[in-house]
Amino acid sequence: MTTPGRGLHGHVLETLGPAITAGEYQPGSVLRTDELAQRFHVSRSVMREAVRVLESMHLVESRRRVGVTVRPKAEWNVYDPQVIRWRLAGADRPHQLRSLTVLRSAIEPVAARLAARNATAQQCAELTECALGMVANSRGHQLEGYLIHDVAFHRVILTASGNEMFARLGDVVAEVLAGRTHHEVMFEDPDPTAVTLHVQVAEAVREGDADRAEKLTRQITVGALEELDILAP
């Protein structure tokens, strides 16, 4: 159960964070904690807690006698899942989606190659289960169900690579996949070719075919970029 304090500072974050990432507060803008507390009708301690979270994301910097200063975009923690979610909800969505999808295209094919070499029997089974779940939810406008299995599939690939840096990108990939779905940057049903490719990647990983796993995953990411050209140019 969420405590009242967390609920209050969470409310502040869900208003202030998207406003900063949307550019409503330009870099260098100074926000006064007392004024913000009055605006959001919260205590100064709640406001300070919200500011601490924003500081951890490198969105703002707090200094005594100065206030809370909005930091330049180049300094933001752009890998923070919450920052990604806020940016995807704003006008920067097309650029953010493209940037994240290009990142996926650079990382996931290599992760799939490594997964084909390093995946355990359990991970192979999980990958197959996720792929079949995607198939089962690929028709009839079941995008939310499809998303669950799609996110899980890519998490397994990244984890099964055996590279802890790749594995930590699971939340990033989850946010871009969720953003595509929740902001309707997908067709009403997933591309059948993409669904089939996921099944084939699972097979390649299970068979230990690193070349094929990498090639097929690259096709998935190329297809995702092509969808953006149509749906979020």
Side-chain angles (χ1 to χ4, degrees), residues 13-208:
L13 285 172
E14 288 303 323
T15 302
L16 200 53
I20 292 172
T21 58
E24 292 179 27
Y25 297 99
Q26 291 298 307
S29 299
V30 177
L31 312 176
R32 304 293 178 184
T33 304
D34 287 351
E35 293 175 4
L36 290 172
Q38 290 179 4
R39 173 187 165 189
F40 288 104
H41 306 290
V42 296
S43 67
R44 282 179 291 180
S45 63
V46 168
M47 197 63 235
R48 283 195 295 269
E49 178 61 25
V51 168
R52 276 196 290 269
V53 176
L54 293 173
E55 283 186 294
S56 74
M57 299 173 178
H58 297 180
L59 296 181
V60 302
E61 181 178 21
S62 182
R63 291 183 181 177
R64 285 189 176 184
R65 300 188 181 89
V66 175
V68 179
T69 305
V70 177
R71 298 175 70 164
K73 185 185 294 187
E75 298 177 5
W76 296 351
N77 181 4
V78 293
Y79 289 102
D80 186 291
Q82 186 68 274
V83 173
I84 292 171
R85 196 173 309 139
W86 288 336
R87 293 181 73 188
L88 287 176
D92 195 34
R93 183 183 307 139
H95 175 266
Q96 176 74 154
L97 278 171
R98 189 165 299 279
S99 178
L100 290 166
T101 305
V102 169
L103 174 68
R104 289 183 59 202
S105 70
I107 297 298
E108 289 196 68
V110 179
R113 166 176 282 276
L114 293 172
R117 295 173 176 171
N118 300 321
T120 64
Q122 178 61 34
Q123 287 170 330
C124 289
E126 290 173 2
L127 205 57
T128 299
E129 183 179 351
C130 292
L132 293 177
M134 292 172 72
V135 172
N137 288 270
S138 63
R139 300 286 294 273
H141 312 331
Q142 301 182 78
L143 288 181
E144 287 296 336
Y146 182 86
L147 175 63
I148 292 170
H149 297 286
D150 194 13
V151 168
F153 181 95
H154 291 281
R155 283 191 186 278
V156 175
I157 287 287
L158 292 165
T159 302
S161 72
N163 183 302
E164 71 277 11
M165 304 298 287
F166 286 178
R168 288 298 299 273
L169 291 173
D171 288 343
V172 173
V173 173
E175 288 300 333
V176 68
L177 294 174
R180 288 171 55 201
T181 300
H182 297 151
H183 297 293
E184 299 180 349
V185 191
M186 281 189 71
F187 298 111
E188 290 185 344
D189 283 330
D191 177 13
T193 299
V195 178
T196 300
L197 285 170
H198 282 78
V199 174
Q200 292 173 339
V201 169
E203 292 173 349
V205 170
R206 187 181 70 248
E207 294 167 0

